[in-house]
Amino acid sequence: MNLRRSTAVALLSLTPAMSAVAVEPVIAGSVPPDPERLARGEYLTRVSGCHDCHTPGYSQSAGQVPHDAWLTGDTTAWEGPWGTTFASNLRLTLLRFNDEQWLDYARSLRTAPPMPWFNLAAMSDHDLLSILTFVQWLGPKGEPAPPALAPGDTWIGPTIQFTHRSPD
Ligand code: HEC
């Protein structure tokens, strides 16, 4: 991540008035992102829980993950009756969308648990577009998350299991 981007992300945490002045456009070849959308996207990805699953180590470190790793996906497995899923690398997967495509995708998304797709679908256009703007502005980083596994297949590595225990 270059210095301009790092500085701008750091300043995003400051007051909205300051971030509006400090944010610099860095998406190559596109129109400069709206600073208000950018700040809103940064806020929403924090408070609506995207980082909790899509940023490696975020929950374990109480959110103390350097921003260059934000939303790069995680190899922690979520295992349950649906099989095994992994939180995707949004820094890669969201690059392919323009605004309209993202709104359609986010509203029609149906995933296996624990992704709260129904929360994403309930967001306003402005909130969804703010998230898109922010993630695209962070820029591509990292590797794709592992593909989902079918029920019965086992992931060797950190795993969160949804189990049903019976008294027997
Ligand atoms: C409780 C954990 C969790 C939270 C919270 C969460 N996700 Fe996910 N997300 C996942 C998992 C796991 C998958 C993969 C699901 C699958 O493979 O079926 C996923 C998949 C996705 C996908 C579809 C795959 C892709 O990259 O196109 C999108 C988009 C997405 N998440 C965006 C978000 C956004 C934006 C937020 C915050 C509003 C969020 N997620 C919050 C766990 C989570």
Side-chain angles (χ1 to χ4, degrees):
M1 180 167 289
N2 66 35
L3 183 61
R4 285 197 322 161
R5 194 176 281 165
S6 312
T7 309
V9 170
L11 289 169
L12 269 174
S13 320
L14 302 177
T15 65
M18 287 186 73
S19 67
V21 174
V23 170
E24 289 183 62
V26 289
I27 302 177
S30 71
V31 285
D34 172 353
E36 192 276 330
R37 265 202 200 180
L38 214 46
R40 177 99 182 134
E42 198 255 359
Y43 170 77
L44 284 171
T45 52
R46 280 178 192 274
V47 301
S48 68
C50 314
H51 288 294
D52 299 356
C53 298
H54 287 270
T55 295
Y58 196 81
S59 296
Q60 299 91 316
S61 67
Q64 300 306 302
V65 174
H67 54 70
D68 62 343
W70 282 355
L71 304 173
T72 54
D74 197 5
T75 54
T76 300
W78 297 87
E79 187 186 320
W82 60 86
T84 302
T85 49
F86 300 88
S88 53
N89 181 341
L90 300 178
R91 301 269 291 269
L92 301 180
T93 60
L94 265 53
L95 285 179
R96 68 186 191 276
F97 297 116
N98 66 25
D99 287 3
E100 285 309 314
Q101 290 165 337
W102 167 242
L103 290 177
D104 287 348
Y105 178 78
R107 295 263 158 69
S108 56
L109 184 66
R110 301 287 182 275
T111 74
M115 167 63 203
W117 53 264
F118 33 87
N119 295 347
L120 203 62
M123 286 187 182
S124 68
D125 284 7
H126 183 256
D127 284 352
L128 282 173
L129 293 175
S130 297
I131 288 176
L132 179 69
T133 301
F134 177 64
V135 177
Q136 290 185 339
W137 176 80
L138 283 172
K141 175 93 192 200
E143 301 298 321
L149 305 180
D153 286 354
T154 306
W155 173 252
I156 306 299
T159 302
I160 296 168
Q161 277 183 311
F162 288 71
T163 50
H164 176 80
R165 293 207 173 91
S166 64
D168 313 314

